[in-house]
């Protein structure tokens, strides 16, 4: 792999996130708004994507209440 390929992070659409996490679309956006779920990146005015590694980390944190209570997913900027 090249250095560029090593630095690329896979991204997921809302549909792909919802296939991994069985919640409603409304709940997904509510959790994101409340900084309980990773913040998606608006790549166009009508398309938002989430970093796959952040979604997976969120899933793992569900099993560890100590990490879950300390972690917020808002990004600076």
């Amino acid at each position: 792999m090249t250095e560029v390929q090593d630095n690329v992070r896979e991204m997921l659409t809302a549909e792909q996130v919802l296939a991994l996490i069985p919640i409603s679309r409304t709940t997904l956006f509510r959790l994101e708004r409340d900084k309980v779920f990773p913040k998606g990146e608006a790549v166009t005015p009508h398309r938002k994507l989430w970093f796959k590694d952040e979604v997976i980390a969120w899933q793992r944190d569900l099993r560890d209440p100590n990490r879950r209570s300390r972690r917020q997913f808002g990004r600076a900027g």
Side-chain angles (χ1 to χ4, degrees), residues 57-76:
W58 178 84
Q59 284 180 309
R60 288 186 185 133
D61 287 353
L62 290 176
R63 291 183 179 225
D64 184 350
N66 293 322
R67 286 187 70 191
R68 192 165 100 198
S69 64
R70 292 190 313 247
R71 189 167 190 172
Q72 282 214 333
F73 287 96
R75 290 197 196 109

Side-chain angles (χ1 to χ4, degrees), residues 7-60:
N7 292 327
V8 173
R9 294 168 63 193
E10 188 173 349
M11 299 183 88
L12 303 172
T13 64
E15 293 76 19
Q16 290 170 315
V17 171
L18 296 173
L20 294 171
I21 312 222
I23 57 176
S24 71
R25 189 177 186 88
T26 300
T27 299
L28 171 65
F29 288 106
R30 186 178 303 125
L31 291 172
E32 181 191 27
R33 177 198 68 203
D34 295 344
K35 297 183 181 177
V36 176
F37 192 78
K39 185 177 186 314
E41 296 293 327
V43 295
T44 71
H46 300 288
R47 177 63 92 183
K48 184 179 273 194
L49 301 174
W50 286 262
F51 288 108
K52 184 177 182 178
D53 59 331
E54 291 181 2
V55 173
I56 291 169
W58 178 84
Q59 284 180 309
R60 288 186 185 133

